[in-house]
Amino acid sequence: MKAWTPVPQVVGIIGLGKLGSALGLKLRDRGFRVLGSVKSPKSRERLTKMGFEVHLDNNVVVSKSDVVILSVKPYNVEEISVKTEKPLISFVAGVPLSKLSAFSNRPFRAMTNVALTTIAVTGPYDEQIDGLLKAISPRVIWVDEKLIDPLTVVLGSGPALVAKLLDSFVRASVDIGVPWDIAKEVADELFRYVPLLMRQRSPEELVEMIATPGGTTIKALVEMAEIERVMASAFEGAMARLVPKR
Ligand SMILES: NC(=O)c1ccc[n+]([C@@H]2O[C@H](COP(=O)([O-])OP(=O)(O)OC[C@H]3O[C@@H](n4cnc5c(N)ncnc54)[C@H](OP(=O)(O)O)[C@@H]3O)[C@@H](O)[C@H]2O)c1
């Protein structure tokens, strides 16, 4: 029988920025010891005040950790000169496993967002890494590496894209005379409730339930027909910007 392996207790985060510190705070809440690195003394000072052990030398972070998380901007990856046998999980957009193997002989490539809703990860399945990531988000999906790029757009940029949809819904409501506060409350409830409804019914069934022939819903839906093309073109544009980074 395979021996039970505990998840790593000390996590080192190279790049304690917006995503790195969100990951660090969640791991700390879950009882992990978290330390990390940044580039500037100013960021180090700010993060130290938040209770993190922060270094300006990435190799110190690697030496003191059981597992390393990489969360620098893609253009900072060239500056990273660590080399370890410890597992390294990179959340850096657009940087493939083949490149990460320069930093660790156990590289994993992952994607999430600042809300830490879901984590997609690629690499050979590893129970310890799965356990560590599940401490951050219960929704961890192991995927083929080719899915990480599209998921970077859908999942990584997801909160900004959904915020844009929600905001458009509110503004269109205000445009036809609904007060701001009511428009926001209605939109907020709908964006929470409709995904639950869609677990029981397909979008087509839902539309047929609501849209009376010749009625107002179908008129609004026909006017919104372009949204699918606009969204597809937005996602394709984001992918085109992501992939040449390689
Ligand atoms: N933000 C998101 O919503 C999101 C979502 C999914 C994936 N990601 C990915 O996560 C990565 C980080 O994004 P972010 O938005 O968190 O960026 P960020 O806020 O700019 O954080 C980057 C951090 O890396 C540090 N850094 C830069 N060069 C370094 C080096 N050579 N050694 C050690 N630390 C270094 C920076 O230090 P200083 O503070 O001193 O400059 C900063 O704290 C990106 O690759 C991005 O693609 C981000």
Side-chain angles (χ1 to χ4, degrees):
M1 203 172 86
K2 202 180 160 212
W4 182 76
T5 42
V7 292
Q9 293 302 302
V10 185
V11 183
I13 304 178
I14 298 179
L16 267 178
K18 288 184 282 294
L19 181 65
S21 57
L23 294 166
L25 288 171
K26 183 52 97 60
L27 285 166
R28 215 168 63 175
D29 278 357
R30 295 292 154 98
F32 290 84
R33 193 177 148 225
V34 179
L35 54 114
S37 56
V38 288
K39 202 169 174 179
S40 63
K42 201 174 159 197
S43 293
R44 181 189 189 182
E45 198 184 316
R46 181 175 51 80
L47 288 153
T48 304
K49 283 187 188 145
M50 288 168 66
F52 285 113
E53 177 185 328
V54 192
H55 300 270
L56 296 176
D57 182 342
N58 296 326
N59 281 299
V60 174
V61 172
V62 172
S63 69
K64 292 176 95 173
S65 309
D66 297 315
V67 61
V68 180
I69 288 178
L70 184 64
S71 184
V72 298
K73 289 281 190 198
Y75 51 76
N76 290 123
V77 168
E78 301 300 329
E79 303 161 5
I80 306 297
S81 60
V82 299
K83 182 75 197 161
T84 180
E85 299 198 342
K86 295 174 185 175
L88 177 140
I89 311 167
S90 166
F91 285 90
V92 181
V95 177
L97 281 173
S98 55
K99 206 163 170 184
L100 297 170
S101 56
F103 308 131
S104 160
N105 53 6
R106 289 178 64 196
F108 297 85
R109 189 178 163 203
M111 189 42 62
T112 187
N113 52 50
V114 281
L116 310 175
T117 52
T118 296
I119 300 179
V121 58
T122 194
Y125 177 79
D126 184 295
E127 212 176 321
Q128 284 196 344
I129 300 301
D130 190 60
L132 175 74
L133 295 176
K134 281 192 175 131
I136 299 169
S137 164
R139 287 163 297 276
V140 173
I141 45 174
W142 288 80
V143 298
D144 192 277
E145 189 177 10
K146 66 175 187 295
L147 274 183
I148 297 284
D149 283 335
L151 283 171
T152 299
V153 176
V154 175
L155 176 60
S157 307
L161 304 174
V162 173
K164 179 72 186 165
L165 288 179
L166 205 150
D167 190 49
S168 307
F169 195 100
V170 170
R171 283 167 190 273
S173 309
V174 173
D175 186 49
I176 56 169
V178 181
W180 281 99
D181 56 343
I182 298 177
K184 283 178 189 166
E185 195 180 320
V186 169
D188 188 52
E189 281 299 303
L190 282 168
F191 274 72
R192 264 196 284 185
Y193 180 66
V194 175
L196 302 178
L197 266 184
M198 285 171 75
R199 285 186 199 163
Q200 295 144 18
R201 294 186 177 83
S202 70
E204 291 76 17
E205 283 170 335
L206 202 57
V207 166
E208 281 189 28
M209 266 176 69
I210 301 167
T212 309
T216 51
T217 307
I218 194 67
K219 179 64 183 160
L221 286 170
V222 166
E223 292 291 331
M224 282 172 75
E226 275 289 279
I227 199 168
E228 206 164 309
R229 193 199 54 75
V230 170
M231 199 177 284
S233 142
F235 283 23
E236 279 167 22
M239 275 288 279
R241 183 163 282 190
L242 176 71
V243 174
K245 287 202 175 100
R246 215 156 286 164

